[in-house]
Amino acid sequence: MPSLRTLQRAVRRDLSAGERAGLKGGEAARRRYDVYGKRPPTHRNACWEGDHKRIPVRVALDGAAVCPWVTWFIDVASKVIVGVAVTPHQPARDAVLAALRSGISRAAPYGPFGGLPSRVRVDRGKDFLSGAVARALGGFAVPVHDLPAYKPYRKGTVEALNSAVEQMLLVSLPGYTRRARPAQALRPDPVEELLSYPDFVRVLLDWVAWWNTEHRPSGVPDGMTPSEAWEADQTPIEDVPEEQLAFFAMEDDGRIRKITTNGVAWRRRAYIADWMAGHVGTRVRLRYLPHFDGTIEVFTADGPVRHLGSAYLAEAATPAQRRALSKVRESKARALKADLKAAEKLSRTRYTATTTPAAPHPQRSVTEQQAQEEISRARAVDLAARALPDLIPPRDPPPGWARPRPRPDITAPAVTDPADIAPPEEPTGARPAPGSKE
């Protein structure tokens, strides 16, 4: 056998540094030794890159601590952050549409950056590739370029932004979850010491404004700020009228409804508005924000499309009622988890350890009365066991219905006349019986 030093010299000779790092730390470690080319410089709005980022900072929202998410788009040429949307939970297509709308619009408070991009580069996240986002951008003929999975270097501009915001801003905020702590300090910061959700959004938007107007990223030529690079670029900007962007992030279910005396019915609830007076019987179509059902927009269904107005939920719950309902749902979820955990524990059968070749015995003993009571309780809540299908006999079908033919008795012979039974034919090439003539 060769010595250890000989084996190590062979590994260093035959494997590259990236291959050795990949064997030790995986694909992410191997990728650090790869060489990446840079895309050629382009003009403003030639390409945007978008991504989600989970903020590793706990903020206070309704008495609980949550880690928000940010969805943003950055211009590749000038490094300007054009659109931002923050959600207190994992984002969906509504966050993508909100960030896109704030990026395309150049009106206050979103301007002066924006306009229509030539294309949008994203990863294979289902929120970015959803049908709502494709239809919204397809209305302005903006293609969505989805990159291969697990290749973050293909959209390095927004990935660098994700790292920069954590190193420049998030590490200094209270509630940062990746801060080094002593071994004894296992408890997180109390909710009272955390930033509130509106304050965190305000801090993040202030940092975005600082990035665009004061920071000088390394990728911007001549050491300019992103805003200076944006203004120095003379590429024309394609603006979108605000009346077209007013319903950019809204979806349409395609159904036609009528205005009744109760308003407009949507998802089995009534929506009303002051302008509906005198419009009972009008055929309308609805548009709404994804995952938001407090307000809807009503449009005409016949003739040219015309916006009639907004409608709000007729019997909306108060904030106190919503908080009480949330607590009830959380308590039910905790009780259900406890029941599932107890049921899983009871369903496992544990046996005693044996030191001799004998059958093990169950560790938990149940009396006959306990077993019968648990079986009875299970039958009481089992609807299938409580069903009585023969309680009400079915009625005879109407005489006009076609009835099935009676099933034949398979035990009776199919032919009863012996004369109809033909003798079996002798197979061809069979040998004759002994003593017979051919």
Side-chain angles (χ1 to χ4, degrees):
M1 295 294 292
S3 63
L4 178 60
R5 296 301 180 187
T6 303
L7 177 62
Q8 291 175 348
R9 284 194 301 268
V11 170
R12 286 194 298 268
R13 182 187 67 244
D14 297 337
L15 297 181
S16 64
E19 292 173 339
R20 295 196 301 269
L23 293 175
K24 183 178 180 180
E27 176 63 20
R30 185 204 64 79
R31 200 179 294 143
R32 299 192 186 100
Y33 292 85
D34 287 347
V35 177
Y36 303 101
K38 292 186 177 181
R39 289 188 173 94
T42 57
H43 56 83
R44 61 183 180 184
N45 284 345
C47 180
W48 290 0
E49 290 183 358
D51 197 11
H52 295 310
K53 178 177 175 57
R54 182 182 182 273
I55 302 298
V57 175
R58 300 170 70 246
V59 299
L61 178 64
D62 292 338
V66 298
C67 287
W69 288 68
V70 60
T71 303
W72 45 21
F73 290 87
I74 184 171
D75 181 60
V76 175
S78 61
K79 306 300 184 294
V80 168
I81 302 176
V82 291
V84 183
V86 187
T87 53
H89 48 72
Q90 188 169 0
R93 63 185 184 276
D94 57 335
V96 179
L97 292 173
L100 280 173
R101 186 188 183 282
S102 65
I104 295 175
S105 175
R106 300 183 65 198
Y110 308 119
F113 316 111
L116 278 181
S118 299
R119 63 175 175 172
V120 176
R121 188 184 297 139
V122 296
D123 56 12
R124 291 186 178 271
K126 64 178 182 180
D127 306 324
F128 291 97
L129 300 181
S130 63
V133 176
R135 287 191 298 270
L137 291 176
F140 298 116
V142 177
V144 179
H145 184 200
D146 55 322
L147 302 175
Y150 304 107
K151 290 181 173 56
Y153 57 88
R154 299 290 296 272
K155 51 182 181 66
T157 306
V158 71
E159 293 293 344
L161 176 63
N162 292 338
S163 301
V165 68
E166 185 167 355
Q167 298 173 6
M168 296 180 178
L169 173 68
L170 303 181
V171 294
S172 62
L173 298 181
Y176 181 65
T177 58
R178 297 174 183 172
R179 183 180 296 111
R181 297 175 180 271
Q184 297 80 9
L186 299 179
R187 290 187 176 182
D189 298 333
V191 180
E192 294 77 11
E193 300 179 3
L194 302 177
L195 284 175
S196 64
Y197 181 79
D199 292 339
F200 168 76
V201 175
R202 189 178 300 108
V203 169
L204 180 63
L205 294 181
D206 291 342
W207 182 86
V208 170
W210 171 84
W211 172 280
N212 289 337
T213 58
E214 299 182 21
H215 181 55
R216 301 179 185 276
S218 59
V220 180
D222 301 331
M224 294 186 294
T225 64
S227 62
E228 292 173 351
W230 179 275
E231 296 296 337
D233 194 340
Q234 300 301 319
T235 305
I237 298 177
E238 185 178 359
D239 289 322
V240 179
E242 287 299 317
E243 55 270 14
Q244 296 185 18
L245 283 177
F247 312 105
F248 172 77
M250 293 189 173
E251 295 183 357
D252 186 355
D253 59 359
R255 293 182 54 187
I256 297 178
R257 297 171 172 84
K258 285 186 178 182
I259 300 178
T260 64
T261 54
N262 295 326
V264 178
W266 182 56
R267 293 180 178 176
R268 296 182 297 180
R269 297 186 295 183
Y271 289 79
I272 59 176
D274 298 338
W275 58 264
M276 290 185 181
H279 290 78
V280 174
T282 305
R283 293 159 51 90
V284 296
R285 295 182 63 172
L286 308 180
R287 300 193 72 177
Y288 52 91
L289 289 172
H291 308 292
F292 178 72
D293 52 4
T295 307
I296 58 175
E297 302 296 331
V298 186
F299 296 81
T300 57
D302 300 328
V305 179
R306 184 167 52 90
H307 180 226
L308 297 177
S310 303
Y312 57 90
L313 190 61
E315 299 178 357
T318 62
Q321 291 174 336
R322 290 198 299 268
R323 287 192 294 267
L325 180 60
S326 178
K327 291 182 179 179
V328 170
R329 290 175 177 175
E330 290 177 358
S331 63
K332 286 184 177 180
R334 289 194 298 266
L336 180 58
K337 290 180 181 179
D339 292 343
L340 292 175
K341 187 176 181 180
E344 183 180 0
K345 184 177 180 181
L346 293 174
S347 63
R348 291 195 300 263
T349 303
R350 302 180 65 88
Y351 295 92
T352 58
T354 58
T355 57
T356 59
H361 298 282
Q363 290 182 344
R364 187 182 296 108
S365 300
V366 182
T367 63
E368 181 180 358
Q369 182 179 0
Q370 291 176 345
Q372 190 62 34
E373 289 178 356
E374 189 168 350
I375 293 173
S376 300
R377 287 196 300 268
R379 288 178 177 175
V381 298
D382 188 4
L383 298 179
R386 297 172 59 188
L388 301 175
D390 299 332
L391 180 62
I392 301 176
R395 296 180 298 176
D396 293 336
W401 285 17
R403 303 192 178 205
R405 296 180 180 180
R407 185 177 182 181
D409 188 3
I410 58 175
T411 60
V415 180
T416 57
D417 191 357
D420 295 338
I421 302 177
E425 296 181 359
E426 185 176 327
T428 305
R431 298 180 60 184
S436 62
K437 295 182 179 179
E438 294 186 4

